[in-house]
Each structure stands twice: as C-alpha cells, then as structure tokens.
Amino acid sequence: MKITRLLRAACAVAIAATGMSAVAQEKTGNKPGFALAPGTARIVLMRPTIWVGEQSTGGMAEPNADWTMQARETIARALADAQAGLGNVVISYDEGSSGEGALVSEYSQLFGAVAESVIEYQFFSGNRLPTKKRKDSFDWGVGGDIARLKSLEGGDYALFINVHDEYGSTGRKILQIVSLFAPGAAVTSGVHKGHAGLVDLKTGELVWLNADQQMGGDVRTAEGAAKRVSQLLEGFPGRPAEAPATAAAATASPTTGE
Amino acid sequence: MRALSRLALCGAAASLAMLGTTPPTRAAEPGLELPAYSHAYEPRTVDERGVWMEADEAERGLRDSPLRIREAGLEAYLREVLCREVGADRCAGVRIYAMEIPGFNASMMANGTMQVWSGLLLRSRSEAELAAVLGHEFAHFELRHSLTGFQQRRRATDAIAWIGLWGALANSDTSFTQNIIARGIYRYGREQETDADLLGLRYAASSGYPASTPAEVWKNLMAEEDASAAGRNQKSKQKYTAGYFDSHPTALNRSIYLAEAAAKMPAGGDARAREYRAAMAPYLPRFLAAQIKRNDFGGTEHILQSIAAASGWSPDLLFARAELYRTRGNPRDLQVAAQYYREARAAGYAGPELDRNLGLALLRNGQAEEGRQSLNAYLAAAPEAGDAKMIRALVAN
C-alpha cells in the first residue's frame, strides 16, 4: 500500500515538474462479427468499481468517501434507467448460496487486468503491441472456466464497469492557472476515466470494451451520472439503433453493494 | 498474572475515558501508558473517511484473495496472539488475514485490516516474536499513521509542485529544494516506524511476553540477512543510519533503541515458544517449501538451523534441507541431498514425494539404478499423481 502511494506521489511530482498533457482518448473494441440481437440475452451486472475524489495541488489522488458513495448511488440509478436502452435483461450479480464470492471477485480482478491490457496495448498508440495493430482483431478473454460458475449460470454475458474520477482541488486549479504564465510547465487539473466491458459467460471471451480516458459528466449528480453512463455504454453491441427508451426489458434494478 | 490484571484496569480506564469529555491518560506504570482507545471507531474527517474507503476496498480484495490461508484455526490463532499482546478491548477492532507470501512482513491498513505473511510465521520462533511484529503493526493503526502519512505526503508534494512552478516562472533551478522536501517524505515515514516500534514495545511490556523480544526480532533478521549475503558471496550490509529513501529505520538501529527502551521496562514472562511451535507445526512443510523456492541458500539454511536449534531435526526439516540442497544442484549438493532424504525417511517422513525427489537427485548425480528404484517406489505409492506420466518416461529412459 505504502509503496504504491509513494510511487504515485513521485509520479505526481514528476508531472507537476515537467508538465504533461493528456490527449483526448476514447476507443471502443468489438469482437469481429459479434452482434447481440436485442431482447435475447441476460446480462449480469458485476459490482462496479467506483473511485471518486480530488486531485491535490501536487497531483496526488485524494479519495473522498462521500463522493464515492454518492457516485455509487447515482450511477446505479443511471444504469437502471439505461437498461431499457440496452434492449436486454440486466440483472445485478448475486452470489446467492453458491459460496463463489471469492472466485467471482478473482474474475472481476482478472477482467480489470485484461481491460487495462486492452487499453494499454491495443487501444491507444504509443505502447501498442505489434500483434495488436491489425484492424478487425480483438482477441481477449478471461478463460472458458467462467462458464463453470454456478452463480453466473442464469446469465449470458457479464457487464463490468469501472469509473475513476479525480476532481481538481482549488489548489490544483490555481496551480494550473499560474502555470499558464510559465512556458513549458503545463499543469492539467482532474482525471476522469472509465471503461465498460462485456464478457461472454459461455466462452470467457471479451466481446466488447469501451474505454474513455477523459470522460464527461459529474458522477456526483444524477444528470452527470446519466451522461457518464451513456458515454460508458457508447457502442454497446446489443443496443438497438436509437430505440426509444420505452422498450422496457429491464427487470431487477442494479444495487451498489454485494 | 500481574501484567494481565493491569491490563484489565487499563480497559476499565479506557471505558471511563469514553464517557468523559477529555480523555484522561491511562492508569499504568510510568513508561507503559497507552493512548486512549475507543471501540468501533468511525473515521471523522474527509481525509480519514477517504483513507478508510480505500482500505475497505483493499480489504475486500484481501478477503477474497487466493493467497489467503483459509485453513481453520490459523487466523483465529493469530488473533489470540494479538489479543494477548494489545489486550482484548483493542484487538476487537482488527481483522487479521493470513497470506501465503514467503517474505518477512506484516502490514496494517487504516481501517484495522491486518495482513500477516507466512514468511513472518516461518521466521518467528515464539509467540512473543510474532506478537512483537503484530503489536508494531497495531501501533500504526492506533496512531493513525495511514492518515497522517497521507496528509504529510500531500503537504510535501503540494510544496514541491509550487516550488517547481516558481522555478519555472523565475527560470531558476529548484531541484535541490524539491529533493530536500521529497526526502522529508521518507524521513517522516521512518519516524512513524520508530513511533510504532516504541508503542509496540509498550504493548509487549504490558502483555506478559518478555519486553526484550522486539529487539531480538531485528537481531534475528540481521543474522538471516548476513547468512543470505554470505550464501551469495556478498558483504553483509548492516548499517546504523538509514539511507535517504529508506522506508524504515535500519534493523541494527531498531534492535538497539528497542533493547535500550526495554531495559527500562518490566522484564515480562514466558515467550510461549512451545505453544507457538505446536500451532505452526501443521503449516511448517508448506512454509518451508515456499521459502526454498526463494533461491536464497544461505538465508534458508539459517532458518532451518534456527528451527532445529529449538526443536531438533524433525522429518519435515530434514526433507526441507534435502530440497534446499537439491535445488542448488551442484554435484556435491545432490550427494548431500540424497543423504538428507534418506535421513528424513529414517526419521519417519511418510510422503511419497520423498521417493520422487530422492530419485531425481540420484539420477542427476549419475546413480541411475538407485534413482530408478526410488522413482518406481514413488510410482507404486502414487500411481495417479499428476506427474506420474513424466516420471514413468524418466524411468523408461
């Protein structure tokens, strides 16, 4: 814990000292040939990973429990509203009496690692692997053994959501403004990134991933969360083209806890 | 017993303190006062709630981790030791997770999550030694070091950012000043470690465990590090003064100030070494197996010797020693390994893997006929083993 914090602080120092600006980054990947006919699939929403806080003057991430809790609620509500637009049944994950909680949380961690790899090594130029450069190649997964999980038996796909928001603190904003007068010391304020992904529960393949390193929408408010969720679900494969939100196929509403 | 009843008094004083508006200091012998303690503490400020939120998330990961040792009893036993060290009222705020990681470590998160690595359990020679480390970690929790450390890092990085920007505006080099502040982050961390050491020592001295033990933990670690260095043909690196970017004071420094402070405290009683060995006995083979994979011949031999010095060369220890030599794999090591395997068998080691590993050592040592005999004995005892096919192929050649 401590070492990662110190490294993060060291990175923050490096950023503040040298100046570095993030490029607008947004990308969607689809398994070639994959299509989800509306109304045919049951999608299990896994416990979303949500972190909301401030960015300190020096660039450190400062966690804020109250904002994170608000975001959990607003995003859950926005997701429930968005379900209709997904055109499929969305249920939230329930361990039930399977005793698989620990194993499923391992799969969630694994998905997180896979998603980070897609973002790092395929989506954005810079660190892209030579084998991942080809167009129409999207070949990622968490392994077929996920099909054996009893607690996921009823579902066809698992939907994973990750949101990380650092709002620039007052000090950071002032630093940013002052930095405008110093050539070569560009300071950015705020970090807003997230991704959403869909895993085929029969094969373990990642069939869709949408990542955005500069997201919009203030997740602490209801309207902001709605905007954020619509950005997260951009390019969702099962989405009927501009269908009206009345085609309600949703049943259960997602919850925030486990 | 004296120590225990004193602890009960402390508990009563603490509950009184919660009722009052100003927390009075605890009634304890001079030098052994402990900070005021409240049950079911909830984080108060924005920063503290944030740090706890992150700890809560990290604890979920720990709870579900495949590295966690879930066998009944181990975590409960660790809790018993912690409760004996810091008192029943205090340990109620802690969850302990035993993790199968062969390094020497334990750590504490802001919300009372403690993780204990198997490498610490392997190296401790008594309950008192384990308790010394657990008490140190608990002191971090009681002193809210995660929070104050976070706030200090934020202050320092804020200052570094402003100074850097000022340098850019004034076109002057500020890296020296920034470096000084960055060093301060690490120095602050080392001061926290010392504070936790000294509070941990006060727990130890009021627990009934010997007050001299915490200093010994660091002496043992230094002895192991020296043995590791010798095994790698390197010089021993024990120093008194920590480097600028060290997260902890040096082991030598810690052993000295802990011993000095302990000399002024009541000596304490039984270190409960026998009880500790009995509790760890079921886990010893797997902890040893993990240690051998660390490719640290000198350090591992030191650990084996120190366990054997207390309880003699048991079959498990002999087998581990054979494995250690076989893994290093010089021709002379293979010969020694075969000898230790046979000694382990003679002492009563019953697992079939002994025949397999003995056979492999003999084969590599050119003793083909004897090697095949051992491998056949393994196949006869474990025909369904996962590696049976591979071993059969070896025998056939």
Side-chain angles (χ1 to χ4, degrees), chain A residues 29-31 34-36 41-46 86 88-90 111 115 138 140-142 156-161 195-201 203-210 232-233 235-239:
Chain A
N30 254 310
K31 199 184 122 191
F34 175 75
L36 188 64
R42 282 169 71 84
I43 297 170
V44 184
L45 172 68
M46 310 308 286
L86 294 182
N88 281 294
V89 181
V90 179
F111 168 80
F138 191 75
W140 303 84
V142 296
D156 299 307
Y157 298 94
L159 175 62
F160 293 88
I161 290 196
H195 60 249
L198 201 60
V199 169
D200 186 332
L201 290 175
T203 62
E205 282 174 307
L206 180 61
V207 291
W208 168 77
L209 183 74
N210 178 40
L232 277 170
L233 297 178
F236 188 82
R239 193 170 220 181

Side-chain angles (χ1 to χ4, degrees), chain B residues 21-67:
Chain B
T21 44
T22 53
T25 48
R26 296 174 139 231
E29 279 189 24
L32 293 186
E33 299 89 350
L34 299 178
Y37 177 81
S38 67
H39 277 286
Y41 176 83
E42 282 293 314
R44 292 184 184 139
T45 61
V46 171
D47 284 345
E48 193 169 31
R49 281 200 299 276
V51 172
W52 279 55
M53 167 194 94
E54 285 198 320
D56 287 344
E57 279 299 311
E59 185 178 0
R60 281 169 183 269
L62 219 49
R63 179 196 63 189
D64 295 337
S65 168
L67 291 178

Side-chain angles (χ1 to χ4, degrees), chain B residues 212-269:
Chain B
S212 58
T213 307
E216 279 162 26
V217 170
W218 299 108
K219 285 183 196 146
N220 294 342
L221 186 67
M222 282 190 285
E224 185 195 326
E225 285 171 351
D226 289 350
S228 282
R232 294 180 171 135
N233 294 323
Q234 291 167 343
K235 260 197 266 179
S236 158
K237 291 190 196 100
Q238 303 303 342
K239 290 198 178 79
Y240 183 76
T241 309
Y244 285 130
F245 298 112
D246 281 347
S247 61
H248 289 66
T250 66
L252 179 59
N253 193 354
R254 296 172 88 172
S255 72
I256 291 172
Y257 66 64
L258 280 169
E260 278 174 3
K264 296 173 197 143
M265 293 179 178

Side-chain angles (χ1 to χ4, degrees), chain B residues 281-361:
Chain B
Y283 305 97
L284 194 58
R286 68 197 266 194
F287 290 172
L288 286 170
Q291 171 63 28
I292 284 160
K293 290 187 187 130
R294 300 184 80 201
N295 190 22
D296 175 7
F297 187 90
T300 308
E301 175 71 10
H302 174 86
I303 294 171
L304 290 174
Q305 295 274 6
S306 94
I307 300 175
S311 56
W313 284 97
S314 67
D316 285 336
L317 281 182
L318 286 165
F319 178 76
R321 204 174 190 190
E323 292 281 89
L324 178 65
Y325 277 83
R326 182 174 70 88
T327 321
R328 191 167 69 170
N330 293 316
R332 62 190 161 100
D333 293 328
L334 295 172
Q335 194 168 341
V336 175
Q339 183 197 329
Y340 286 137
Y341 281 125
R342 285 177 173 138
E343 284 179 23
R345 168 58 42 84
Y349 193 94
E353 67 278 5
L354 186 143
D355 277 318
R356 178 192 60 201
N357 297 359
L358 171 61
L360 292 174

Side-chain angles (χ1 to χ4, degrees), chain A residues 48-255:
Chain A
T49 312
I50 294 172
W51 190 104
V52 187
E54 267 190 312
Q55 187 179 36
S56 76
T57 308
M60 263 174 66
E62 306 172 70
N64 187 306
D66 306 328
W67 292 355
T68 303
M69 210 192 297
Q70 280 167 21
R72 279 197 174 283
E73 281 164 19
T74 57
I75 288 177
R77 226 171 291 134
L79 272 169
D81 293 344
Q83 278 178 29
L86 294 182
N88 281 294
V89 181
V90 179
I91 46 173
S92 43
Y93 175 72
D94 183 10
E95 180 189 343
S97 58
S98 65
E100 290 174 337
L103 195 53
V104 168
S105 118
E106 268 185 63
Y107 271 107
S108 293
Q109 303 271 356
L110 179 59
F111 168 80
V114 172
E116 302 253 312
S117 301
V118 179
I119 293 165
E120 178 82 12
Y121 301 118
Q122 174 156 30
F123 271 5
F124 303 115
S125 58
N127 226 355
R128 190 176 284 152
L129 290 174
T131 50
K132 299 291 182 192
K133 273 182 181 161
R134 272 189 24 235
K135 273 195 173 174
D136 301 331
S137 108
F138 191 75
D139 184 15
W140 303 84
V142 296
D145 278 358
I146 199 169
R148 292 192 199 164
L149 291 174
K150 291 233 162 16
S151 55
L152 286 168
E153 240 169 15
D156 299 307
Y157 298 94
L159 175 62
F160 293 88
I161 290 196
N162 180 307
V163 166
H164 180 98
D165 276 277
E166 292 170 33
Y167 292 90
S169 61
T170 313
R172 185 73 180 177
K173 285 175 188 153
I174 297 172
L175 188 81
Q176 185 185 26
I177 292 166
V178 177
S179 78
L180 296 176
F181 299 96
V187 173
T188 59
S189 175
V191 177
H192 305 279
K193 54 186 181 182
H195 60 249
L198 201 60
V199 169
D200 186 332
L201 290 175
K202 303 282 185 293
T203 62
E205 282 174 307
L206 180 61
V207 291
W208 168 77
L209 183 74
N210 178 40
D212 194 339
Q213 310 294 81
Q214 262 186 344
M215 304 204 78
D218 188 337
V219 291
R220 297 165 296 183
T221 65
E223 312 82 61
K227 184 178 172 195
R228 172 65 60 90
V229 165
S230 74
Q231 286 187 2
L232 277 170
L233 297 178
E234 239 165 57
F236 188 82
R239 193 170 220 181
E242 298 305 317
T246 46
T251 52
S253 74
T255 52

